[in-house]
Amino acid sequence: MTASEIRALFSVASRPEVVSLAGGSPYVSALPMDAVAETLADLVARRGAVALQYATAQGDELLREQVCEVMAPEGIDGHPDDVVMTTGSQQALDLVTRIFVDPGDVVLAEAPSYVGALQVFRSYQADVVHVPMDDKGLEPVALEEAIQHLRAQGRQLAFLYTIPSFHNPAGTSQPESRREEVLEVCRRHDVLVIEDDPYGLLGFDGDPYRALRADDPEGVIYLGSFSKTFAPGLRVGWALAPHAVREKLVLASEATQLCPSSFSQLAVSSYLSTQDWRGQVDVYRDLYRQRRDATLEALTATMPEGTTWTHPLGGFYVWVTLPEGFDTRVMLPRAVTARVAFVPGSAFFADGSGARSMRLSYCLPEPARIREGVRRLAGVIEEELSMRELFGPAPSHGAAHDGDAPAPDLA
Amino acid sequence: MTASEIRALFSVASRPEVVSLAGGSPYVSALPMDAVAETLADLVARRGAVALQYATAQGDELLREQVCEVMAPEGIDGHPDDVVMTTGSQQALDLVTRIFVDPGDVVLAEAPSYVGALQVFRSYQADVVHVPMDDKGLEPVALEEAIQHLRAQGRQLAFLYTIPSFHNPAGTSQPESRREEVLEVCRRHDVLVIEDDPYGLLGFDGDPYRALRADDPEGVIYLGSFSKTFAPGLRVGWALAPHAVREKLVLASEATQLCPSSFSQLAVSSYLSTQDWRGQVDVYRDLYRQRRDATLEALTATMPEGTTWTHPLGGFYVWVTLPEGFDTRVMLPRAVTARVAFVPGSAFFADGSGARSMRLSYCLPEPARIREGVRRLAGVIEEELSMRELFGPAPSHGAAHDGDAPAPDLA
């Protein structure tokens, strides 16, 4: 499939009759729209001349203070001076990569990793080396081996990119002991860590995990976002970075866009000040927990033997792996015809692996739709199995990779 | 002066007692804030689930249609499919540069040129070659010579970056015959043109100029913005590009930020649909015309002999050149002490020239403040002249350049 074929496919997948388990769009309909409308109108009426004007490249000072409060539950003791507001955390990742990556440098990332990050790394001609995960996330021993191997080859290592909590797409989380091990390996080998944490507050049970950044302010650049805890349409994210990096981020941001939207920043700031944002996070957590449950129950009820999946404790995604011989890219057009969409696993690897896997997102559809979607998906898989009994396995796309495909998170 | 010294200086310059003729912030207080507030509240109440959600990387379809209407008065017959919405036109310039510039490539730009553009070109390690201007803007003969010279040297020429209408910082505009000559030179030598046009609708008399893009859809990438015709705080700009480039822009934008803010885009779209945006542009034009007049009258009344300045027919800026021996960078701290700020001319050159010049912005302060600011500036210049009569000229900073200084447009 070419980029334009995938684009065409996802365009079909966005039709209302298709259950899309593909995109990563949060369920913003759960927001109190009237209160948000009032907050924004009030912002323009009271502070329009500021909200509609240029701002500083680093971002609004009050919002940077509020961001520090938002990070506190994850154990982060950040200073507003070290926060840089960005156009979504995607832009923060783009700027960090621009600063640290020269063409041919290695970026370490989980296997699988966030497709939007791979797109950034590719655009700066980084060489992504995947590090295996188990059900506790990134494997420290494998990380250690990868670093040693790369250093022995004389490769330039830019950083480790990791999503410790509620991983996209894997759905796994690093327990705290695992986090300590990962940090220890990186510290020992002097490897910078980029911690991407858009879902950190969206755990389904108990307190949030302790962020990597909480235990290593100098070795970790932390990326945060309001896209999942509030709303992505405003494009407000941030980086919390050691002082010297923060300076570079501000200059790079200024060259890129002059400044992030003052309106969006003040909108988020007003929302945090005037609305019960913590209560809203709880609303989201309940909602996504129910959808996670619906997904797992439906998978248990319908998937053929030999299929495995992860059991996310938060976030938006389940990672499903089919029995030997499947190629989810080949299966996707058939699935869309059966009115269900997912993202093929190979999208989440820089090297085209992941053919047997797929990412299912449970964030946007209602539970009943999720159950129906998984049922349809099981039907497609069963059909595929019957075909294989009759005709043998379909030819795989092998090491094909997504090239310039559109970011499936927007599908 | 180092970047941090300049930053400190502009921080002082932002105090209310200082008349800032430095920044490029539009006078957004002229907007009908109540109507804007109502428009945004209505947007969230009616279409919150779309406005607060992710969108496509290319941008909202209706807004792209409206953008084509906005460009029509400049003779542009654009198709919505060829428009890419961006986070301000600064981002469009960043993406275009990312696509077309490899380190060491040459970018041709007017002498002087927009400081934010120079910052982008520097960040991609382009080599900026300035082409002289006269009172009709870019000189075609000099452009021809520069191209021939560079080609003879075997240099890779990425594009010509030009601001044909109401130039920032020069305040000049290319008459239509000049535009034809510039296009003819570029076509003959197969040089891509980046036309930056944020001020095109803000002419003080008669109809807008015909855009370069109007006469060469394949050879020109046009950059537009709502920052000056509506409000910069929403960060909504666009590129109109030939089809093959448009595809690349969308992919680069997606890697950079996933998508531009849907909220900002729909806010602009609603504003264009429900408010008298053309009437608002006329309000801005009248307002800036009065401020331009106040600036020119004050310059005529107070500047010492040997000082020259441009006579802008639109836009935000007057370019003032002092007699031989002045260095406006050296003068700036003294000016700020005298409670007036400007941007030194050297900020607008990649090669540190422009020492005798400065940019005065008349967009933000009221006319009475402008007159007071120019009077203070004249005092500083007179003092400088007296000092030179007593002690001889101050040592110049020569080829010093602004390096990583903050974008003065935000000052």
Side-chain angles (χ1 to χ4, degrees):
Chain A
M1 277 190 291
T2 64
S4 59
E5 282 167 341
I6 294 182
R7 215 176 270 276
L9 203 61
F10 279 128
S11 146
V12 174
S14 70
R15 290 192 193 163
E17 66 268 27
V18 176
V19 177
S20 180
L21 305 171
S25 300
Y27 189 70
V28 290
S29 300
L31 286 167
M33 292 299 175
D34 289 347
V36 173
E38 202 180 307
T39 303
L40 299 192
D42 191 54
L43 170 64
V44 174
R46 284 189 311 109
R47 301 186 62 205
V50 176
L52 296 171
Q53 190 55 275
Y54 288 113
T56 66
Q58 186 172 358
D60 183 71
E61 203 170 333
L62 172 59
L63 179 57
R64 286 186 283 117
E65 285 171 20
Q66 292 169 310
V67 157
C68 291
E69 285 170 40
V70 170
M71 295 186 293
E74 295 182 69
I76 296 176
D77 179 22
H79 193 285
D81 279 358
D82 296 329
V83 175
V84 181
M85 302 308 304
T86 54
T87 301
S89 68
Q90 182 79 12
Q91 198 216 356
L93 182 59
D94 181 72
L95 297 177
V96 165
T97 308
R98 184 194 282 229
I99 290 168
F100 286 100
V101 171
D102 287 318
D105 285 359
V106 172
V107 168
L108 293 165
E110 281 127 355
S113 185
Y114 165 48
V115 58
L118 298 180
Q119 215 175 352
V120 172
F121 303 149
R122 191 185 303 129
S123 79
Y124 289 96
Q125 299 169 52
D127 191 2
V128 174
V129 171
H130 288 287
V131 180
M133 309 174 78
D134 59 20
D135 61 352
K136 296 187 173 65
L138 192 66
E139 289 182 30
V141 174
L143 176 63
E144 169 95 40
E145 284 169 3
I147 295 171
Q148 283 180 359
H149 182 69
L150 290 160
R151 287 268 161 86
Q153 291 182 307
R155 299 295 301 275
Q156 185 65 35
L157 236 167
F159 51 71
L160 165 68
Y161 169 78
T162 179
I163 308 164
S165 302
F166 319 125
H167 192 274
N168 176 6
T172 51
S173 295
Q174 297 173 16
E176 305 210 343
S177 60
R178 175 63 63 92
R179 289 167 196 247
E180 286 164 23
E181 292 172 304
V182 168
L183 274 183
E184 198 277 317
V185 171
C186 290
R187 255 194 303 254
R188 188 150 32 79
H189 292 283
D190 197 22
V191 171
L192 177 67
V193 177
I194 312 300
E195 175 177 29
D196 196 359
D197 188 38
Y199 311 100
L201 298 185
L202 295 175
F204 301 144
D205 312 286
D207 292 332
Y209 288 103
R210 190 168 169 83
L212 297 174
R213 166 59 177 73
D215 293 308
D216 195 347
E218 287 303 310
V220 177
I221 297 175
Y222 174 95
L223 311 183
S225 175
F226 288 105
S227 290
K228 276 79 183 186
T229 51
F230 178 28
L234 295 165
R235 312 305 299 117
V236 180
W238 70 89
L240 172 69
H243 193 76
V245 176
R246 185 270 282 167
E247 274 289 310
K248 285 182 188 159
L249 280 172
V250 171
L251 290 168
S253 171
E254 198 167 79
T256 307
Q257 61 177 12
L258 292 182
C259 59
S261 163
S262 30
F263 185 85
S264 285
Q265 289 183 81
L266 296 188
V268 171
S269 181
S270 300
Y271 170 79
L272 295 173
S273 304
T274 64
Q275 306 294 317
D276 177 17
W277 71 268
R278 288 180 181 85
Q280 179 61 37
V281 168
D282 288 339
V283 167
Y284 277 136
R285 290 168 66 196
D286 286 344
L287 200 134
Y288 296 134
R289 187 195 300 105
Q290 288 167 25
R291 292 173 187 201
R292 186 262 331 247
D293 291 346
T295 311
L296 297 184
E297 284 160 24
L299 286 168
T300 305
T302 63
M303 284 293 129
E305 216 182 292
T307 305
T308 60
W309 53 88
T310 53
H311 292 73
L313 303 173
F316 287 6
Y317 312 104
V318 176
W319 183 249
V320 177
T321 301
L322 300 180
E324 281 295 343
F326 273 90
D327 184 332
T328 56
R329 279 175 69 104
V330 175
M331 219 176 75
L332 181 57
R334 215 168 299 149
V336 172
T337 308
R339 290 166 300 134
V340 59
F342 56 82
V343 181
S346 57
F348 305 96
F349 289 86
D351 57 9
S353 51
R356 277 168 55 203
S357 298
M358 63 177 88
R359 186 189 76 178
L360 302 187
S361 309
Y362 49 77
C363 39
L364 197 57
E366 314 265 354
R369 292 276 289 169
I370 292 176
R371 279 188 284 270
E372 174 59 22
V374 173
R375 202 188 57 72
R376 290 176 190 172
L377 184 61
V380 174
I381 295 169
E382 287 296 349
E383 225 171 79
E384 177 86 17
L385 280 170
S386 318
M387 301 253 287
R388 280 167 56 190
E389 273 168 31
L390 279 171
F391 305 108
S396 163
H397 280 218
H401 70 88
D402 287 84
D404 285 334
D409 277 14
L410 303 180
Chain B
M1 277 190 291
T2 64
S4 59
E5 283 168 339
I6 295 182
R7 216 177 269 274
L9 204 61
F10 279 127
S11 145
V12 174
S14 69
R15 289 191 193 165
E17 65 269 28
V18 176
V19 177
S20 180
L21 305 172
S25 299
Y27 189 69
V28 289
S29 301
L31 286 168
M33 292 299 176
D34 289 346
V36 173
E38 203 180 306
T39 303
L40 299 192
D42 190 55
L43 170 63
V44 174
R46 284 191 309 110
R47 302 186 61 203
V50 176
L52 296 170
Q53 189 56 275
Y54 289 113
T56 65
Q58 185 171 359
D60 184 70
E61 202 170 332
L62 172 59
L63 179 56
R64 287 186 281 114
E65 284 171 21
Q66 292 168 311
V67 157
C68 291
E69 285 169 40
V70 169
M71 294 187 293
E74 296 183 68
I76 296 176
D77 180 22
H79 193 284
D81 279 358
D82 296 330
V83 174
V84 181
M85 301 309 304
T86 54
T87 301
S89 67
Q90 183 79 12
Q91 198 216 357
L93 182 60
D94 182 71
L95 297 177
V96 165
T97 308
R98 183 194 280 229
I99 291 168
F100 286 100
V101 171
D102 288 318
D105 286 0
V106 172
V107 168
L108 293 165
E110 281 127 357
S113 185
Y114 166 51
V115 58
L118 297 179
Q119 216 174 350
V120 172
F121 302 148
R122 191 186 302 129
S123 79
Y124 289 97
Q125 300 169 54
D127 190 3
V128 174
V129 171
H130 287 289
V131 180
M133 308 174 80
D134 58 21
D135 60 354
K136 297 188 172 65
L138 191 67
E139 289 181 31
V141 174
L143 176 63
E144 169 94 41
E145 284 169 4
I147 296 170
Q148 283 181 359
H149 182 69
L150 290 160
R151 289 268 161 87
Q153 291 182 306
R155 298 296 299 276
Q156 185 66 34
L157 237 166
F159 51 71
L160 164 69
Y161 169 77
T162 180
I163 308 165
S165 302
F166 319 125
H167 191 273
N168 177 5
T172 51
S173 294
Q174 297 172 17
E176 304 210 342
S177 60
R178 175 61 63 92
R179 290 168 193 244
E180 285 165 24
E181 292 171 303
V182 168
L183 274 184
E184 197 277 319
V185 171
C186 290
R187 255 194 304 251
R188 186 148 35 80
H189 292 282
D190 198 23
V191 171
L192 177 68
V193 177
I194 312 300
E195 176 177 29
D196 196 359
D197 188 38
Y199 311 100
L201 297 185
L202 295 175
F204 301 145
D205 311 287
D207 292 331
Y209 288 102
R210 190 169 170 83
L212 297 174
R213 166 59 177 72
D215 294 309
D216 194 348
E218 287 303 310
V220 177
I221 297 175
Y222 175 96
L223 311 183
S225 174
F226 287 106
S227 290
K228 277 76 182 187
T229 50
F230 178 30
L234 295 165
R235 312 305 299 119
V236 180
W238 70 90
L240 172 68
H243 194 77
V245 176
R246 185 271 281 167
E247 274 289 310
K248 286 183 186 156
L249 281 171
V250 171
L251 289 168
S253 171
E254 199 167 78
T256 308
Q257 62 178 11
L258 291 183
C259 60
S261 163
S262 30
F263 184 84
S264 286
Q265 290 183 79
L266 296 189
V268 171
S269 181
S270 299
Y271 170 78
L272 295 173
S273 304
T274 64
Q275 306 294 316
D276 176 17
W277 70 268
R278 288 181 181 85
Q280 180 59 38
V281 168
D282 289 339
V283 167
Y284 278 136
R285 290 168 68 196
D286 286 346
L287 200 136
Y288 296 134
R289 187 194 301 107
Q290 286 167 27
R291 291 172 188 203
R292 186 263 330 249
D293 291 345
T295 311
L296 297 185
E297 283 159 23
L299 286 168
T300 305
T302 63
M303 284 293 128
E305 216 182 292
T307 305
T308 59
W309 53 88
T310 52
H311 292 73
L313 303 174
F316 286 8
Y317 312 104
V318 175
W319 183 248
V320 177
T321 302
L322 300 178
E324 279 296 341
F326 272 89
D327 185 332
T328 56
R329 280 175 70 105
V330 175
M331 220 176 75
L332 181 58
R334 215 168 298 150
V336 172
T337 309
R339 292 167 299 135
V340 59
F342 56 82
V343 181
S346 57
F348 305 96
F349 289 85
D351 57 10
S353 51
R356 278 166 57 202
S357 298
M358 63 176 86
R359 187 189 75 177
L360 301 187
S361 309
Y362 49 78
C363 39
L364 197 58
E366 313 264 352
R369 293 275 288 169
I370 291 176
R371 280 188 283 270
E372 175 58 21
V374 173
R375 201 188 57 73
R376 290 175 190 172
L377 183 62
V380 175
I381 295 170
E382 287 295 349
E383 226 173 78
E384 177 86 17
L385 279 171
S386 316
M387 301 253 287
R388 280 167 56 189
E389 272 167 32
L390 280 170
F391 305 108
S396 164
H397 279 218
H401 71 88
D402 287 85
D404 285 334
D409 277 13
L410 302 180

